[in-house]
Amino acid sequence: MGNTYGYIRVSSRDQNEDRQIDAMNQLKIVPKNIYMDKQSGKDFERPEYKKLFKRLKRDDVLYIKSIDRLGRNYEEIQNQWRILTKEKGVDIVVMDMPLLDTRRGKDLMGTFLSDIVLQVLSFVAENERVNIRQRQAEGIAAAKARGIHLGRPPEPLPENFHQVYQKWKSGRITGAEAAKECGMPPTTFRYKAKIYEKATLL
């Protein structure tokens, strides 16, 4: 009998991992054998997953809540699954999908069914990742079209900006001197000056 491990992944620090942790606790997996990453599933360059991968050995069992917690890249999920199950001899249990339990059905038919389910779910996981990116891009484009500024609001110009800008524009001071008077880096001053100039021409 090998050891039992659990792997948890959430896409960002703002997402809640409690559901996955509760599932692992119900299996009574010892805390030191539970690994968690808080980052995207686009690839397997994740620090905790790498540590887990090094520890896994033949006859160990790895639990994940759902296939998209393992990853979201169709080809990489399949490749990682093959390495873990075929090369390292590890069993994988996807808790939300009983058909994806490599401890059962190790005959040809069981392996065939498991491979089909894995391919479908891997495709769905990546398709969702692509759809999320597309929705984000469409949302940003729609917001820009409505004149909504996304991101941090720009800092207000210093009170002396107009006077300093006029002195710089007329050649009485250099850009570096103007930036110093406004308390900002020269590149920032030039950027702000360009925007200011466009605004005054409207």
Side-chain angles (χ1 to χ4, degrees), residues 5 12 67 78 96 144:
Y5 295 90
S12 69
I67 195 66
Q78 289 191 302
D96 286 352
K144 285 182 176 178

Side-chain angles (χ1 to χ4, degrees), residues 111-126:
T111 302
F112 175 69
L113 288 173
S114 179
D115 285 349
I116 288 176
V117 174
L118 174 63
Q119 287 186 40
V120 171
L121 291 178
S122 299
F123 173 78
V124 169
E126 176 160 358

Side-chain angles (χ1 to χ4, degrees), residues 18-59:
D18 290 348
R19 190 175 72 95
Q20 295 177 71
I21 291 174
D22 289 344
M24 300 298 169
N25 288 338
Q26 286 176 20
L27 294 168
K28 298 197 169 23
I29 301 175
V30 294
K32 70 184 179 99
N33 284 358
I34 298 175
Y35 292 77
M36 179 171 65
D37 281 307
K38 291 194 174 186
Q39 66 184 82
S40 166
K42 65 180 181 178
D43 56 42
F44 285 88
E45 292 300 311
R46 308 173 217 144
E48 291 303 306
Y49 182 81
K50 284 182 174 181
K51 291 178 188 175
L52 169 64
F53 184 85
K54 286 180 180 178
R55 282 191 68 184
L56 288 169
K57 60 184 185 303
R58 184 165 297 278
D59 295 328

Side-chain angles (χ1 to χ4, degrees), residues 21 31 41 43 52 80 109 122 140 145 164 191 196 202:
I21 291 174
D43 56 42
L52 169 64
Q80 200 67 202
M109 181 56 73
S122 299
I140 291 170
V164 174
Y191 172 72
Y196 183 77
L202 292 176

Side-chain angles (χ1 to χ4, degrees), residues 176-187:
E177 291 169 332
K180 189 174 182 180
E181 284 192 38
C182 290
M184 58 179 66
T187 52

Side-chain angles (χ1 to χ4, degrees), residues 133-164:
R133 289 172 61 186
Q134 184 175 338
R135 287 196 294 270
Q136 287 174 337
E138 289 172 352
I140 291 170
K144 285 182 176 178
R146 294 196 304 272
I148 298 172
H149 177 76
L150 300 174
R152 290 187 303 176
E155 292 185 9
L157 294 173
E159 291 183 6
N160 65 338
F161 188 85
H162 176 73
Q163 291 83 0
V164 174

